[in-house]
Amino acid sequence: MVKAYLRYEFSAAFGVITSAANPTYDASGKLLFTSSLESISVWNPKQGSLVKQLSPVVASTSTGTGASAAGSGGMAEVTVLCCAPGGSSTTIAAGYSDGSVRLWDYLSGDCTVTFRGHKTAVSCLRFNAGGSLLVSGGRDTDLVVWDVVGETGLYRLRGHKDQVTDVVFLPAQSKLVSSSKDGLVKVWDLDTQHCCQTLGGYKAEVWSLDVNPGGTRLVTGATDDEIRVFAIRNSGAAEAMETEGATGGTDQDHTVLVPMGSVRRLAASHERVAMLRFSSDGEWLGVQGAGKGLALFRVRDEDEATRKLKRRRSRRKEKAAKKAAEKAKKAAAAAATKKVAEEEGDDDEGQDGERPEGEDDTLKASDELEAAQLVTSKVAKIRAFCFAPPAAKLPPGVACRLALSLSNNCIEVLNINSETNSYDTASRIDLAGHRSDVRALALSSDDMSLLTASSAALKMWNPRTGSCLSTMESGYGLSVLFAPGNKFAVVGTKEGSLEVFDLGAAARVHVEEGAHGGAVWSLTPLPNKAGFFSGAADKTVKLWHWSVVAEEGKAKSLRVRHVKTVSVADDVLSVRLSPDGKLLAVALLDATVKVYFADSMKFFLSLYGHKLPVLCMDISSDSTLLLTGSSDKNIKVWGLDFGDCHKSLFAHGDAVMSVAWVPGTHYAFSAGKDRLLKYWDLDRFELLLELPGHQGELWCCGISQFGDFVVTGSHDRSIRRWERSSEPFFVEEERERRLESLFEADMENTAADKDTAAGATSDAAAAAAAVAGHRTLEAVSAADAIIDALEAAALELERLRTADRERAEAAAAGRPPPRPLPPNALMGSLVPSAYVFKVVSSVRASELEQAIMMMPFADALRLLGYLSQWLQGGGTAVELSVRLAVLLVRLHQGQLAATAAARPVLLALQRRLRGAAQGLKDVVGFNLAAMSYLARRARENEGVTEADAVVPAKRQLLGTGR
């Protein structure tokens, strides 16, 4: 009989405050968004509290697909965040490491749409000013423009030769600008979908760019210490210059970005620019380096910049007059004077005084940007930053507010005071996570508390809710153990000491200095709860007993008392005591495991077989089996009666860091550096489940007393909980599912490679556009569903025609009519055209284009025949029909022209298409006019004039708050 098992599913992840992506505020400035590996965390920065988490993993695991769905569909890491503009919008876009882009409604917590257009990670995202368009740039060198309202991809822009690092829309223009690691900045015309200008001259990669809210200046940052500034010419000015210079016909008539020079960064170093952003009011420019520094520049307004230009011009004239006088006095040394004049120049302009007169009338980068101050973090590197929006209430004297995402899993909010040239920390979010790896963990005996140790802190969590209960300073913890009663705990550190903590007071009460001469790698408790064994790198195993100390004026406290020391031949990496208290297993650096009698510490067994050191061990609840995990990527099951190896299994793709038996069973878990948690049946020596999810190496795992959940700690600083569900599964089905997932992943990669190759062959030499999305399994499934619906509709139409013919023949022959046809069970009560419409309309808009492209011409022609019937329905049917008509005719134009059967279909569609589209357009126009009328009446009732309402609207449209 085939055995069934209960599935373990991902339940929650906690402990990560911020990861790879940039932080961003909402429009009100009350919420701060950060990436927490695959989730988006929504914080209240004022209170430092977590409001909500937006996670695709929860959605994928709730469908019942289990670990496979969670591993393949929801474990991609968030790489970039972008909040939609506008105070009423509640949409935030997130790019992921698998190339997908998701749009979230952060109020409801729902993922509204998923775009798939990149083969590799998404590196940048930007909305346009109205929030209707979204552009994504990826490491696959492509840019994809998405229609947020229509939930579909518009086109793909190809031209860069390396990863796209940043992208931005130009306000009030149908253009966008992108930068890349190929050292180029490109301007793209969205109307023609081609590159209209390319800027070079950079020594290496261009890492970031941004446009000021007024849409007049663009700044770029590269690997050098200069910030280059460009003036943006709008389309109207370009057309005017084009008309004036029509006879000349120069190439500069189509120039969008005009260089204005450069300014040097504060504290210039060899660090590259990591991020560059304007504040929402356009008064500040932040330039973040790859280290701990962030340079702030104040943006002068137009009057200040003009005064700066006049002062520079007057200084230049004074210098020119002085040099002319010197030339008159020293005619004999004219050549030498000229040479000196060429070498001396104004620092603001960087050139000599003999510049052409026309250049004095133009503003330069140094006229508009003024270096203000350098913001640094003393604790860690700055990973990314963002400015608080103008709607955020700032204290008096604060010019702007910055949110810094630090590399040590921490968020700092700074207030910048421009008058005193200083800054102070407004708030810090750091208690909800470790500053470094989670190296060790332990569950309490009642499973109500979880302890995790890192390089500088010990934290206690509620493993059910993921809330951090307390934080205690500690040494570099490598092992942790609850004392009996769960009120105290002991931590073994890298320095060789044992630290005792009072968990109720959240304080360290005792440090046993010199407990070991090396790192304490492992702790194991005695079954009688009298003490514990410790194993360390000083080649000793020590027995400790608990002792209670009562100090004067203080409550009783727990201490540890050394009882016995056993020396071994090499460093001790792990120690485990059998549950019956008879045997003690000691793993040594020489890749062997020594088993001793626990009471007398006499040698019993030596276990050989691992090729590399054993890093972790555990003994089953019945004290009969020992499970070992090693750096040789294998796990071995040993019998403790004779020391024989029952089975050796190749378990992980890297070193096995932790193993644990499920209490009361011979099932076990193993965690490795390959980022996987695996579930085993070690009676049958079979792999049951693979549980992916971590973005870094796994260091430790722990199992509850009843085996109903597992917790893991990782290099990515996250703690994950996996719960046992009531859903049964079979090993054979799980094995087939893993093979299918590998096959489907290979299919997706092959399809993406084919799409890339097809797009590359059609690209122009410089840059061109291509199809936005790429082939996915969802699109293939949608295409199959549409084809099946067309086949079912064709069979139903044939069945109806046969029934009509039989009815007519019976009437002509005077026979009684045949019985009426039973309804089609597949279609229900729907007619064939309505059934096909139901199937097509159920396909997501982001996948419809790819699904239609994969359909053969015969099915496309049949689908085209249904459009004229759908146009009679009005509403959404008209919109879908128009979209499908344009797409099908564009894809199959040549075959439609050469097929005689397509002519009547096209003629019938032509008669109804224009009228239906015009009717829908009239309805939308009528509704817009009615809404405009109602808004005008509301303003009149409130006493607001038209000018008062129009001017702020224009300012919001242009993206400026002035």
Side-chain angles (χ1 to χ4, degrees):
M1 182 176 178
V2 180
K3 186 175 181 179
Y5 302 86
L6 293 180
R7 186 182 299 277
Y8 280 84
E9 294 181 349
F10 173 78
S11 176
F14 50 93
V16 180
I17 299 172
T18 177
S19 55
N22 58 292
T24 182
Y25 278 96
D26 70 333
S28 65
K30 297 179 180 179
L31 298 177
L32 178 66
F33 303 94
T34 63
S35 64
S36 299
L37 301 179
E38 73 278 355
S39 304
I40 303 173
S41 296
V42 185
W43 300 91
N44 185 330
K46 186 176 181 180
Q47 300 176 355
S49 60
L50 180 64
V51 178
K52 189 179 297 184
Q53 269 199 331
L54 313 176
S55 176
V57 181
V58 177
S60 62
T61 54
S62 63
T63 59
T65 56
S68 298
S72 59
M75 293 300 179
E77 186 177 4
V78 179
T79 55
V80 61
L81 294 173
C82 183
C83 200
S88 60
S89 177
T90 60
T91 300
I92 182 170
Y96 292 81
S97 59
D98 62 352
S100 62
V101 177
R102 290 183 174 90
L103 300 183
W104 295 86
D105 187 338
Y106 57 80
L107 289 185
S108 64
D110 297 330
C111 179
T112 57
V113 64
T114 301
F115 297 128
R116 301 188 183 274
H118 296 279
K119 310 192 287 188
T120 54
V122 179
S123 55
C124 51
L125 283 175
R126 285 294 181 100
F127 282 95
N128 67 341
S132 60
L133 294 180
L134 174 70
V135 60
S136 62
R139 295 180 183 175
D140 56 0
T141 74
D142 291 346
L143 292 160
V144 182
V145 180
W146 308 95
D147 183 358
V148 176
V149 179
E151 299 182 356
T152 183
L154 298 179
Y155 40 81
R156 182 187 304 271
L157 301 174
R158 288 194 172 105
H160 286 292
K161 304 302 180 186
D162 207 336
Q163 170 186 331
V164 180
T165 55
D166 210 347
V167 64
V168 65
F169 283 95
L170 296 185
Q173 296 192 53
S174 182
K175 292 180 177 63
L176 62 86
V177 185
S178 62
S179 62
S180 171
K181 290 176 68 175
D182 59 7
L184 298 177
V185 174
K186 289 182 176 290
V187 183
W188 304 86
D189 191 332
L190 301 184
D191 295 330
T192 61
Q193 301 172 16
H194 279 74
C195 177
C196 60
Q197 185 181 358
T198 300
L199 299 176
Y202 295 90
K203 297 179 181 179
E205 300 92 347
V206 183
W207 285 99
S208 186
L209 55 83
D210 198 19
V211 174
N212 67 337
T216 58
R217 298 291 184 266
L218 180 136
V219 292
T220 63
T223 55
D224 53 15
D225 58 352
E226 291 185 349
I227 304 301
R228 292 172 173 83
V229 183
F230 299 88
I232 301 175
R233 293 171 52 200
N234 57 34
S235 57
E239 291 176 0
M241 291 187 63
E242 202 171 303
T243 304
E244 294 176 1
T247 56
T250 60
D251 294 338
Q252 294 187 2
D253 293 343
H254 303 282
T255 300
V256 179
L257 302 180
V258 180
M260 293 183 59
S262 63
V263 294
R264 289 186 177 274
R265 293 159 51 194
L266 288 173
S269 63
H270 298 291
E271 296 175 353
R272 64 173 178 85
V273 171
M275 192 174 183
L276 188 150
R277 289 293 182 268
F278 279 100
S279 61
S280 300
D281 55 9
E283 296 181 358
W284 294 90
L285 171 65
V287 182
Q288 174 210 337
K292 295 185 178 180
L294 188 151
L296 283 179
F297 291 85
R298 192 176 70 86
V299 182
R300 298 187 180 100
D301 57 22
E302 186 176 353
D303 295 336
E304 285 185 277
T306 303
R307 289 196 296 269
K308 177 74 173 176
L309 172 63
K310 291 180 179 179
R311 287 196 301 269
R312 179 163 56 85
R313 190 185 305 164
S314 62
R315 288 200 303 269
R316 182 179 170 278
K317 289 181 178 180
E318 292 175 359
K319 288 183 180 181
K322 184 178 180 180
K323 289 176 182 178
E326 290 177 356
K327 286 182 181 180
K329 293 180 180 180
K330 302 178 180 179
T337 306
K338 182 178 180 181
K339 183 177 180 180
V340 174
E342 290 176 351
E343 295 178 352
E344 296 179 356
D346 193 346
D347 293 337
D348 291 335
E349 58 196 33
Q351 296 184 12
D352 61 356
E354 296 186 0
R355 183 181 302 173
E357 187 66 26
E359 293 192 12
D360 286 343
D361 297 332
T362 60
L363 290 173
K364 301 201 171 296
S366 57
D367 297 332
E368 296 189 348
L369 294 180
E370 176 188 4
Q373 57 180 304
L374 182 67
V375 177
T376 58
S377 175
K378 298 180 181 179
V379 294
K381 289 185 177 181
I382 301 175
R383 181 175 282 161
F385 76 99
C386 65
F387 283 98
K393 296 181 179 179
L394 301 180
V398 175
C400 64
R401 175 172 290 172
L402 287 171
L404 306 181
S405 172
L406 304 182
S407 60
N408 66 343
N409 193 27
C410 176
I411 289 287
E412 265 191 321
V413 180
L414 303 180
N415 287 334
I416 308 299
N417 193 325
S418 59
E419 296 180 357
T420 60
N421 196 24
S422 62
Y423 57 92
D424 58 341
T425 302
S427 61
R428 178 176 293 169
I429 305 174
D430 58 353
L431 295 179
H434 283 284
R435 307 281 75 77
S436 58
D437 303 15
V438 179
R439 290 305 304 262
L441 60 81
L443 281 165
S444 60
S445 58
D446 56 1
D447 295 331
M448 296 303 294
S449 300
L450 170 68
L451 282 177
T452 57
S454 65
S455 62
L458 179 71
K459 287 181 178 287
M460 187 166 66
W461 310 80
N462 184 331
R464 304 286 183 178
T465 62
S467 58
C468 183
L469 304 179
S470 60
T471 300
M472 296 154 275
E473 292 185 2
S474 70
Y476 198 123
L478 297 177
S479 53
V480 60
L481 179 69
F482 272 97
N486 302 322
K487 295 182 179 179
F488 291 85
V490 61
V491 175
T493 66
K494 189 176 182 180
E495 296 78 16
S497 61
L498 294 175
E499 300 180 353
V500 181
F501 290 86
D502 185 345
L503 301 181
R508 181 170 48 193
V509 295
H510 177 65
V511 177
E512 189 73 21
E513 297 286 353
H516 283 277
V520 183
W521 289 108
S522 183
L523 301 173
T524 182
L526 296 176
N528 59 8
K529 301 181 181 180
F532 61 92
F533 280 98
S534 63
D538 60 353
K539 304 180 183 180
T540 61
V541 176
K542 293 187 178 183
L543 174 62
W544 306 83
H545 280 179
W546 305 110
S547 62
V548 179
V549 176
E551 298 179 0
E552 295 183 3
K554 295 183 180 180
K556 293 182 179 180
S557 181
L558 191 68
R559 298 289 187 271
V560 293
R561 178 172 52 87
H562 179 233
V563 177
K564 186 187 297 184
T565 300
V566 178
S567 298
V568 293
D570 213 333
D571 293 7
V572 179
L573 300 181
S574 181
V575 291
R576 282 295 179 269
L577 188 63
S578 61
D580 58 8
K582 295 181 179 180
L583 298 176
L584 176 69
V586 180
L588 304 180
L589 189 62
D590 60 4
T592 63
V593 177
K594 308 293 184 182
V595 182
Y596 299 87
F597 291 104
D599 52 356
S600 62
M601 292 306 295
K602 290 185 178 180
F603 176 76
F604 175 50
L605 292 171
S606 183
L607 308 180
Y608 297 91
H610 283 290
K611 298 178 181 178
L612 292 173
V614 175
L615 303 178
C616 51
M617 299 186 302
D618 198 19
I619 300 177
S620 60
S621 300
D622 55 6
S623 302
T624 60
L625 297 179
L626 172 68
L627 177 63
T628 58
S630 169
S631 295
D632 60 9
K633 310 174 186 178
N634 295 324
I635 60 172
K636 292 180 184 291
V637 184
W638 310 81
L640 287 179
D641 45 3
F642 300 106
D644 57 324
C645 181
H646 290 185
K647 191 70 173 179
S648 179
L649 299 170
F650 182 78
H652 290 268
D654 208 332
V656 183
M657 301 305 298
S658 182
V659 292
W661 292 96
V662 178
T665 69
H666 283 177
Y667 304 147
F669 284 89
S670 65
K673 279 188 173 182
D674 59 354
R675 308 181 181 184
L676 292 177
L677 177 68
K678 294 190 176 184
Y679 184 35
W680 305 85
D681 182 351
L682 294 180
D683 282 332
R684 301 187 176 190
F685 308 114
E686 289 182 325
L687 173 63
L688 303 181
L689 287 175
E690 286 185 357
L691 302 174
H694 280 284
Q695 305 294 336
E697 298 91 344
L698 269 71
W699 296 121
C700 50
C701 71
I703 302 179
S704 63
Q705 297 299 316
F706 300 101
D708 54 341
F709 69 89
V710 184
V711 289
T712 54
S714 169
H715 173 72
D716 60 15
R717 303 185 179 95
S718 71
I719 304 161
R720 294 178 183 266
R721 186 178 75 252
W722 315 80
E723 289 190 353
R724 185 173 60 197
S725 66
S726 59
E727 177 191 357
F729 72 95
F730 301 97
V731 177
E732 291 77 9
E733 293 180 356
E734 191 63 28
R735 189 181 298 116
E736 290 178 2
R737 183 176 290 133
R738 285 197 295 269
L739 292 175
E740 287 177 1
S741 64
L742 292 174
F743 177 71
E744 291 172 354
D746 184 65
M747 280 183 57
E748 285 194 355
N749 294 333
T750 303
D753 292 340
K754 287 182 179 179
D755 293 343
T756 302
T761 56
S762 63
D763 282 352
V771 179
H774 65 75
R775 214 168 297 176
T776 61
L777 291 176
E778 290 82 0
V780 174
S781 301
D784 292 340
I786 295 174
I787 294 173
D788 292 342
L790 292 172
E791 291 288 346
L795 293 176
E796 179 65 13
L797 288 174
E798 182 62 29
R799 190 171 75 107
L800 293 175
R801 283 195 293 266
T802 302
D804 291 341
R805 187 165 54 251
E806 291 177 353
R807 191 179 297 108
E809 291 176 355
R815 297 193 303 268
R819 293 181 179 180
L821 287 176
N824 192 319
L826 179 63
M827 297 183 182
S829 59
L830 298 176
V831 297
S833 62
Y835 174 70
V836 175
F837 176 77
K838 176 185 176 182
V839 173
V840 174
S841 60
S842 64
V843 178
R844 289 191 295 184
S846 57
E847 299 165 358
L848 183 59
E849 183 174 0
Q850 288 294 326
I852 296 299
M853 291 176 64
M854 285 184 281
M855 292 173 54
F857 174 72
D859 294 316
L861 183 58
R862 283 196 291 183
L863 180 60
L864 200 63
Y866 285 106
L867 299 185
S868 58
Q869 303 178 37
W870 297 351
L871 289 173
Q872 300 176 0
T876 57
V878 175
E879 184 179 353
L880 180 61
S881 301
V882 171
R883 182 182 175 190
L884 287 175
V886 174
L887 182 59
L888 290 170
V889 172
R890 179 168 58 86
L891 292 175
H892 305 286
Q893 183 177 3
Q895 289 175 291
L896 288 172
T899 304
R903 183 175 178 81
V905 175
L906 294 175
L907 289 176
L909 185 62
Q910 181 189 18
R911 286 192 295 268
R912 294 178 178 174
L913 187 62
R914 186 178 296 274
Q918 185 62 41
L920 182 62
K921 182 179 177 182
D922 293 341
V923 171
V924 173
F926 180 83
N927 290 338
L928 289 176
M931 292 173 63
S932 177
Y933 171 75
L934 293 176
R936 188 166 59 252
R937 287 291 302 272
R939 288 195 298 269
E940 290 176 357
N941 293 336
E942 295 176 359
V944 180
T945 63
E946 189 72 20
D948 295 336
V950 170
V951 173
K954 288 184 177 180
R955 288 177 177 173
Q956 184 179 6
L957 180 62
L958 294 175
T960 176
R962 298 180 182 176

